[in-house]
Amino acid sequence: MMSVSKFAFLSLALLAVAPAQQAPRIVIDYPEEGSIFPPDFAPPTFLWRDSQADTTAWEFEIAFSDGAPAIHRIARGERMSIGEIDPRCVAESNELPKLTPEQAAAHTWKPDASTWSAIKQRSAGHPATVTITGSGGARGQVRISTSTDPVGAPIFYRDVPLMPSELEKGVIKPIIPSAVPLVGWRLRNVAESSSRLVMEGLPTCANCHSFSKDGKTMGMDVDGPQNDKGMYTIASVAPRMSIRSEDVFTWNDFPDKPPGHRTIGFMAQLSPDGRYAVTTVNEDVFVANFKDYRFLQVFYPTRGILAWYDRSTKRIRALPGADNPSFVQTNGFWSPDGKYLVFARAVARDAYPEGRKMAQYAGDPLEPPIQYDLYRIPFNGGKGGRPKAIAGASKNRMSNAFPKVSPDNRWIVFVESRNGQLMRPDGQLFIVPSGGGQARRMRCNTARMNSWHSFSPNGRWLVFSSKSRSPYTQMFLTHIDEEGNDSPAILIENSTAANRAVNIPEFVNIPADGLEHIDVPAAEFYRLFDRAVSLAEKGRFAESIEEWTKALAISPDDAKAQNNIGRAYAGTGDFDQAIVHWQRAIEINPRNWEAHNNLGVALAQKGKLDEAIRHLRQVLEANPDYAADVHGNLGRMLALKGKSDAAIAEWRQAIELRPNYAEAYNDLGTELSRKGRTDEALAAWQRATEVNPGFAAAHFNLGNALDARGRGKPALAEWRSGLAVDPNHVPTLRRAAWLLATDRDASLRNGAEAVALAERAVRLTADQDASVLDGLAAAYAEAGRFADAVETGNRAQRLAAEQGKRDLSAEIKARVGLYEEKVAYREGRN
């Protein structure tokens, strides 16, 4: 029989080897340990997971280090929800947001306003310990505190639907065109629980924005008329502000732009005093748009230089020291005093290397490899200087980009990734002393994409975007102390609908109610601008004038619109009104060289050749960029004055400056032909059709020259080419129909085609051109329609007589005699 002592010993032994039962546990997911909240911050939503699935209520204890009584609250722990959905942004190309398994398991509690106010007040500068207790002894703890530094300013940001578009090589267009009006701009005061929509419904894209140090001026990229993606607005900030066309300029006015290049003005930044803007021009940009809405685009420049715009002079200039075409220089950001810029630089390369496959997703190794280093350069009133690499943010085998300098000028925060810049899945925020030094990975970094950051005006808070909680980008805050130490990220909740993304958050140094609405009359102006241009391109000048008039009612001081309505009036033949508008365009902008050039041409049309020539020579001296056009116009005016050799010299200069100047080749050929220099004329016209196969007038002239040499077949080919471009060019219709109807070479004749061309010419001239009717009569005869030939020939003969063209009337009468004998007319050849 076992003794009691032995039984007790056995029991103790069994207890010693049995596994210890784990106590139930609560994991607090948010806020993280050590989180710091601003004193002016709305109540956050606490998130936790409890291993005890049957718990229905939890006790919150918030204990304070000063020994004051703790705050106790009971939370029902509602499950985490997705949030509001914007039905306009639901598409086949995206998905509704979903909770992760951890989020689906989470419980929530948001303190009421009075409780949160008490927590903030009693945790100011001292950590408070938040303990969550559930059933069965489950517990979790986290320490948080409240800073004595307020945020002190609202955040302006872009609110974007994620509705991917198809790839268009080199074009940044991440969303489908129909979604563009859904893009909004919001202002968020972090003390409030929601944001204010200040702008929406623009028909075109507007993108990167920045503000002056005092918050009184805003700069923003906008897409302008005629697909000008290089436009930029600088406007005054007010509670109800307006962006007018007068507030907009285009980086495409950069004078040192390569021929034919269209710049987008990549990521412009306004200077602290609001006088200057800096951007990347002459850029080559790698762009990949993906169908995956989570990371629907990649873009970064692979070539480009920094250029700056001066609001006072309205001029754009390159920044010496950051204008080396052997590098790409981008992401320029101003120091708080405006004395220097920090920018990203890398060795230039092709955006689309030959033979390289396109990337299929963000971070794909097929992306063109590029790693930027950060540099610092003096601005020096636009004179620039020598760039200096920033230690800790350069030559680290990573890509360092998107630098932001703190308001106290002590720190630079930048994005580090393996390749490219911005919105990278692996993007991490780093901080480095502004003079260079040891860079530190910031504590606030989340698990997925950290980017688009901005300092608060007092320099103590940094806002940034992340996809850590959802593929629909959200907005976060971190506190940064004087030594550059930061805190875990805190979420700015309800920044937008759950199926929309926060983009480009930027602090603005204004009161919370300092921006309530942005009106954009420029958008309607640009819509009218594009419509007026389209109508003019179709030759509908009267309708174009109506649209220009509406546009000018919105923005009467827009020099380009004044210039263009002048061109429309010229298209109607009303050169008096055209001159009025060109003079007004020059009055608004004395450097509108196109208006100067147009005015010179109009003066010539009015017979004021000497005044026109003097005017154009002044333009030529003032702006060599317009030299080719001016030389071309001077050639035409000198030819009208009978100064043939001088005209030829002007056209040759124009061609030397612009080798593909088809109009100059055509005019040169005409003048050479007048002087009997037919071989040179023929070569000039041939060159005109080579550089511009769509130039109908040049095909006509070349065809005439070939026909004069007895080369009917190539002449006919040229005329047909011209008619393919302009089927209503009456001189070509007449000459081609005549050859097809009358040439002695039977292989060239074609009665049916001759009749079709001649009938079209008659319709276009309303039966009022005797030579055109003569050609139709000859075509009818060639087609065997002699009765029609006689009737039409008689009409042509009478019309010629009525118009005093006796020789032509006699020639037609003789041809009608042939038709009466049922004989077609044959043209003799030399």
Side-chain angles (χ1 to χ4, degrees):
M1 187 174 180
M2 186 179 291
S3 67
V4 174
S5 60
K6 286 182 178 179
F7 179 81
F9 176 79
L10 181 59
S11 300
L12 290 171
L14 288 171
L15 287 172
V17 299
Q21 185 175 357
Q22 271 192 328
R25 192 164 64 95
I26 288 176
V27 176
I28 300 177
D29 293 319
Y30 180 80
E32 293 183 32
E33 175 71 17
S35 292
I36 301 175
F37 289 88
D40 48 348
F41 196 79
T45 300
F46 286 74
L47 301 175
W48 72 93
R49 288 172 286 139
D50 191 337
S51 60
Q52 295 289 98
D54 57 351
T55 305
T56 58
W58 290 262
E59 179 185 4
F60 270 71
E61 179 190 70
I62 302 97
F64 305 96
S65 58
D66 61 1
I71 294 174
H72 293 269
R73 295 289 184 272
I74 298 297
R76 295 300 175 190
E78 290 85 357
R79 291 292 186 180
M80 185 177 177
S81 65
I82 292 294
E84 177 191 355
I85 297 295
D86 185 342
R88 302 172 302 167
C89 303
V90 178
E92 293 182 0
S93 57
N94 61 27
E95 296 178 9
L96 290 175
K98 302 172 184 176
L99 297 177
T100 65
E102 291 79 11
Q103 290 170 338
H107 300 274
T108 68
W109 176 65
K110 179 178 286 191
D112 59 63
S114 61
T115 298
W116 180 241
S117 178
I119 293 172
K120 289 190 294 183
Q121 183 178 0
R122 293 167 64 182
S123 66
H126 305 284
T129 300
V130 180
T131 303
I132 305 176
T133 304
S135 61
R139 296 173 78 247
Q141 279 189 344
V142 66
R143 286 176 297 176
I144 64 172
S145 63
T146 303
S147 172
T148 57
D149 302 315
V151 170
I155 303 165
F156 182 80
Y157 61 96
R158 194 167 175 251
D159 177 5
V160 187
L162 299 186
M163 302 164 77
S165 70
E166 294 289 349
L167 174 65
E168 184 175 344
K169 186 175 179 181
V171 178
I172 301 174
K173 56 166 198 175
I175 60 176
I176 57 176
S178 61
V180 170
L182 301 180
V183 176
W185 284 260
R186 292 181 175 271
L187 195 74
R188 179 61 178 268
N189 173 12
V190 297
E192 298 174 355
S193 59
S194 61
S195 303
R196 180 189 307 126
L197 183 68
V198 297
M199 183 168 65
E200 189 183 40
L202 297 189
T204 58
C205 277
N207 299 294
C208 299
H209 48 257
S210 58
F211 294 85
S212 60
K213 188 175 181 179
D214 61 9
K216 293 181 179 179
T217 310
M218 179 183 76
M220 179 183 284
D221 295 335
V222 293
D223 285 0
Q226 297 179 278
N227 201 33
D228 186 350
K229 295 183 178 296
M231 301 198 82
Y232 193 72
T233 181
I234 302 178
S236 296
V237 175
R240 299 192 68 82
M241 65 177 287
S242 180
I243 297 176
R244 308 163 303 156
S245 64
E246 294 92 330
D247 301 320
V248 181
F249 71 93
T250 177
W251 293 107
N252 279 298
D253 285 341
F254 178 53
D256 297 321
K257 189 178 61 172
H261 180 77
R262 300 284 287 177
T263 188
I264 61 173
F266 187 82
M267 296 184 65
Q269 279 283 323
L270 199 61
S271 65
D273 62 3
R275 175 178 172 178
Y276 303 103
V278 67
T279 196
T280 299
V281 298
N282 296 358
E283 75 284 357
D284 192 7
V285 181
F286 169 72
V287 181
N289 298 324
F290 308 121
K291 281 297 187 179
D292 184 350
Y293 72 98
R294 295 170 297 179
F295 283 94
L296 49 73
Q297 67 173 336
V298 172
F299 62 89
Y300 49 83
T302 61
R303 297 183 190 278
I305 65 173
L306 291 187
W308 54 276
Y309 171 80
D310 185 345
R311 290 179 73 192
S312 62
T313 64
K314 302 187 184 303
R315 293 189 178 183
I316 305 170
R317 293 290 183 268
L319 182 66
D323 61 347
N324 189 336
S326 298
F327 296 95
V328 52
Q329 292 120 135
T330 188
N331 295 171
F333 190 83
W334 301 85
S335 64
D337 56 10
K339 291 184 178 179
Y340 70 89
L341 289 140
V342 176
F343 67 98
R345 190 178 90 167
V347 174
R349 62 198 63 208
D350 292 337
Y352 300 93
E354 187 175 352
R356 190 181 186 90
K357 294 181 179 179
M358 279 296 294
Q360 300 300 306
Y361 57 88
D364 189 338
L366 289 173
E367 293 174 358
I370 193 165
Q371 292 184 332
Y372 302 93
D373 294 324
L374 294 190
Y375 280 76
R376 172 185 175 129
I377 189 171
F379 181 61
N380 195 21
K383 297 177 183 177
R386 183 173 176 269
K388 181 180 178 182
I390 296 174
S394 59
K395 300 177 177 63
N396 55 7
R397 298 184 179 180
M398 296 293 285
S399 188
N400 312 278
F402 203 63
K404 293 294 182 80
V405 184
S406 63
D408 62 5
N409 206 19
R410 292 189 61 191
W411 307 100
I412 298 171
V413 173
F414 62 98
V415 177
E416 184 178 285
S417 59
R418 287 187 295 274
N419 189 59
Q421 61 170 263
L422 284 174
M423 297 187 297
R424 309 303 290 159
D426 66 331
Q428 298 278 297
L429 296 175
F430 278 72
I431 189 167
V432 68
S434 59
Q438 181 65 44
R440 290 175 286 163
R441 181 184 179 276
M442 297 181 72
R443 188 180 178 187
C444 66
N445 280 293
T446 67
R448 195 162 181 79
M449 196 200 87
N450 303 274
S451 189
W452 292 125
H453 50 285
S454 167
F455 277 99
S456 63
N458 63 13
R460 289 291 166 259
W461 297 94
L462 189 83
V463 64
F464 65 98
S465 295
S466 168
K467 290 181 179 286
S468 59
R469 285 197 176 199
S470 169
Y472 294 94
T473 317
Q474 296 174 303
M475 187 162 60
F476 295 81
L477 269 184
T478 182
H479 181 264
I480 300 178
D481 66 20
E482 291 183 357
E483 301 307 315
N485 301 304
D486 69 298
S487 58
I490 57 174
L491 175 68
I492 302 174
E493 300 177 30
N494 300 320
S495 296
T496 183
N499 62 331
R500 295 175 66 100
V502 172
N503 193 228
I504 326 178
E506 184 89 13
F507 277 108
V508 193
N509 192 10
I510 56 174
D513 60 354
L515 179 56
E516 297 177 352
H517 179 73
I518 303 175
D519 186 34
V520 192
E524 174 63 8
F525 172 82
Y526 291 148
R527 187 190 69 79
L528 292 167
F529 192 114
D530 279 336
R531 175 162 170 75
V533 169
S534 176
L535 289 167
E537 287 174 345
K538 296 172 184 175
R540 296 160 63 180
F541 297 112
E543 294 171 78
S544 177
I545 289 168
E546 290 180 10
E547 298 303 305
W548 284 123
T549 301
K550 294 175 188 176
L552 286 168
I554 296 172
S555 186
D557 292 331
D558 189 278
K560 288 185 178 179
Q562 292 286 358
N563 176 60
N564 287 343
I565 193 173
R567 292 174 62 183
Y569 272 115
T572 67
D574 189 346
F575 284 95
D576 289 334
Q577 275 298 316
I579 287 171
V580 168
H581 287 283
W582 286 326
Q583 288 173 333
R584 177 62 182 140
I586 293 167
E587 181 183 333
I588 295 166
N589 179 10
R591 289 188 297 276
N592 189 323
W593 305 117
E594 184 181 350
H596 279 287
N597 188 47
N598 291 337
L599 180 58
V601 174
L603 291 169
Q605 292 285 345
K606 298 287 289 181
K608 301 177 180 179
L609 292 176
D610 290 335
E611 183 180 351
I613 290 170
R614 284 197 304 272
H615 186 80
L616 289 184
R617 291 211 183 280
Q618 288 174 356
V619 176
L620 195 60
E621 292 171 6
N623 185 22
D625 296 330
Y626 253 80
D629 290 309
V630 174
H631 281 301
N633 287 329
L634 282 170
R636 295 183 193 105
M637 293 172 196
L638 290 165
L640 288 171
K641 287 179 67 68
K643 297 183 178 180
S644 181
D645 291 339
I648 289 171
E650 292 291 342
W651 284 318
R652 291 201 188 281
Q653 285 189 62
I655 290 165
E656 184 177 346
L657 291 166
R658 190 188 300 164
N660 62 347
Y661 196 170
E663 291 82 358
Y665 280 114
N666 186 56
D667 292 339
L668 176 62
T670 301
E671 195 62 27
L672 289 167
S673 178
R674 285 197 191 109
K675 291 178 71 68
R677 294 158 65 176
T678 54
D679 288 343
E680 294 175 79
L682 194 68
W685 284 322
Q686 284 174 329
R687 183 62 181 148
T689 59
E690 287 169 5
V691 299
N692 184 4
F695 192 4
H699 284 294
F700 173 70
N701 289 333
L702 180 56
N704 289 350
L706 292 166
D707 187 39
R709 292 188 169 203
R711 299 172 62 189
K713 190 172 183 178
L716 189 58
E718 290 298 329
W719 290 330
R720 282 172 173 157
S721 295
L723 290 172
V725 177
D726 183 1
N728 295 328
H729 191 254
V730 172
T732 305
L733 289 168
R734 184 177 64 81
R735 288 301 300 268
W738 188 258
L739 185 146
L740 289 163
T742 69
D743 200 277
R744 290 188 180 278
D745 184 348
S747 67
L748 290 178
R749 295 197 304 274
N750 185 324
E753 185 180 358
V755 168
L757 297 179
E759 285 182 339
R760 191 189 311 161
V762 168
R763 286 194 301 272
L764 290 168
T765 56
D767 286 7
Q768 294 303 305
D769 189 314
S771 62
V772 171
L773 285 167
D774 181 28
L776 178 57
Y780 282 145
E782 173 59 23
R785 296 168 57 180
F786 290 104
D788 290 333
V790 170
E791 188 274 330
T792 303
N794 284 330
R795 277 196 293 140
Q797 186 267 327
R798 288 194 299 270
L799 181 61
E802 290 169 5
Q803 294 175 344
K805 302 174 182 177
R806 285 180 292 182
D807 291 344
L808 177 61
S809 177
E811 291 172 10
I812 296 173
K813 185 174 181 180
R815 282 191 277 273
V816 170
L818 292 175
Y819 308 150
E820 289 172 338
E821 297 296 326
K822 293 185 171 49
V823 176
Y825 174 74
R826 293 291 173 259
E827 180 81 344
R829 283 192 181 277
N830 295 331

